[in-house]
Amino acid sequence: MHPSVHARTNPDKPAIIMAASGETISYGELDRRSNQVAQMLRARGIGIGDTVALCMENHPWFFCLTWGFQRAGVHYVGISSRLTAPEIAYILEDSGAKLLFSSVYLSETLDEVASLAPQVPQLRFGVDAEAALAAMPATPIADERAGVDMLYSSGTTGRPKGVKIPLPEDPAIDATNVLVQLAMMAYGINQDAVYLSPAPLYHAAPLRWSMTVHKIGGTVVVMERFDPEAALAAIQHYKITDSQFVPTHFVRMLKLPQEVRDKYDVSTLKCAIHAAAPCPVPVKQAMIEWWGPVLFEYYAGTEGN
């Protein structure tokens, strides 16, 4: 129940596919990169129980970072790339982050963040992060221990608010959790899953569900950004079996002209999970009529860590 296990048993299997570009990262490569991330943390004096952050778009390295954080026993903060520089700087200070990973995509905002939070070093993909990580060993750190995410609100009602939960009681990086059990037992997600992640990865559900699929050994197809027709094209092209949506995604897909919707084969879908907000009955009925009885709704409070 961990990418490192799948890297040993099936190293060439795709773990991550970027939907638009087709860039693919195998389980073997995910394991190698996540080891380098963990090694980077230790090289910078970041130990078990410390906090690190990432603020970036849906990027090929996103899960390489989170899995590196997970195996290094740290609290990792996914910061919305849509926040302002003062909001990002506040989260860095409030969480106690000791390092921020980002990308050149957000350089203008993060230059301002650097001036507001100079105590937090930054590494940016497209600038210096790749070279810094390439210099790290690709072997596991000596003190691997399971870490956990720490997520913040959007900041729409005052300053962003975060909840810091303890590290998992079981220190094993390959320990199972409630969300893995839910995915496998309730929704039938297994190692053959091809899972579409259409939303920003810094949100709780996209981050946790995608990492759950990685624990199980499936393939996660990441949309760089959501577009309703592109989502249908990805379902057809990659033969998506499972996904997780919010009602807004359904509304936008239903607004497509009928001739556009009819162009795409969505018959491979076995499970389309949705949550985050109540789905209006007419919207859900229309989706069932279109996709068939593959929609599953859960209460967000049931989501495991």
Side-chain angles (χ1 to χ4, degrees):
M1 288 295 176
H2 194 268
S4 62
V5 176
H6 309 309
R8 292 192 294 271
T9 59
N10 201 357
D12 295 329
K13 180 176 182 176
I16 303 160
I17 302 175
M18 302 304 294
S21 69
E23 180 177 349
T24 300
I25 298 171
S26 68
Y27 270 101
E29 181 66 9
L30 175 60
D31 187 53
R32 186 184 71 81
R33 292 187 184 187
S34 64
N35 277 327
Q36 289 176 313
V37 171
Q39 293 279 4
M40 167 69 74
L41 300 187
R42 294 296 186 264
R44 289 178 171 246
I46 298 171
I48 292 171
D50 287 337
T51 302
V52 295
L54 69 164
C55 181
M56 55 201 295
E57 73 280 18
N58 284 8
H59 190 283
W61 268 87
F62 199 101
F63 288 120
C64 303
L65 291 173
T66 59
W67 281 116
F69 301 156
Q70 187 269 348
R71 66 195 307 166
V74 299
H75 297 273
Y76 48 100
V77 181
I79 302 176
S80 169
S81 58
R82 299 178 181 180
L83 294 182
T84 66
E87 288 172 324
I88 294 170
Y90 169 76
I91 290 175
L92 294 176
E93 180 179 0
D94 184 67
S95 67
K98 294 189 173 182
L99 180 63
L100 172 64
F101 285 91
S102 57
S103 82
V104 69
Y105 175 77
L106 297 171
S107 283
E108 184 175 345
T109 297
L110 292 163
D111 285 346
E112 185 179 350
V113 170
S115 67
L116 295 171
Q119 77 281 9
V120 183
Q122 295 188 22
L123 285 171
R124 299 183 193 177
F125 290 94
V127 180
D128 55 2
E130 290 92 343
L133 288 165
M136 294 291 107
T139 51
I141 55 176
D143 58 342
E144 281 191 329
R145 195 253 190 258
V148 68
D149 60 57
M150 178 183 178
L151 301 178
Y152 276 74
S153 67
S154 64
T156 53
T157 54
R159 284 179 162 176
K161 301 168 183 66
V163 178
K164 188 174 186 178
I165 61 176
L167 295 178
E169 288 186 18
D170 189 339
I173 63 171
D174 60 351
T176 190
N177 61 25
V178 172
L179 200 53
V180 169
Q181 295 168 351
L182 178 66
M184 297 183 71
M185 298 175 66
Y187 302 132
I189 297 175
N190 58 34
Q191 69 275 9
D192 297 322
V194 183
Y195 175 89
L196 182 68
S197 186
L201 297 177
Y202 51 75
H203 285 308
L207 174 66
R208 292 173 179 170
W209 277 102
S210 295
M211 292 182 74
T212 294
V213 173
H214 283 151
K215 275 181 169 284
I216 296 169
T219 296
V220 176
V221 178
V222 178
M223 294 189 71
E224 288 86 345
R225 60 187 58 82
F226 180 75
D227 173 85
E229 185 173 357
L232 298 176
I235 292 170
Q236 175 177 282
H237 179 72
Y238 294 107
K239 296 180 170 54
I240 299 298
T241 60
D242 305 272
S243 190
Q244 194 270 341
F245 296 93
V246 298
T248 299
H249 291 145
F250 293 156
V251 170
R252 291 184 62 187
M253 287 187 283
L254 287 167
K255 286 182 177 180
L256 291 170
Q258 188 66 47
E259 61 270 20
V260 174
R261 290 166 51 188
D262 290 343
K263 284 170 51 180
Y264 299 100
D265 180 4
V266 297
S267 63
T268 56
L269 269 173
K270 299 186 301 180
C271 177
I273 303 164
H274 65 100
C279 187
V281 171
V283 172
K284 188 165 184 175
Q285 184 63 44
M287 290 302 302
I288 292 172
E289 291 173 359
W290 180 12
W291 286 4
V294 299
L295 271 68
F296 297 86
E297 185 170 6
Y298 71 90
Y299 169 59
T302 64
E303 187 176 308
N305 294 310

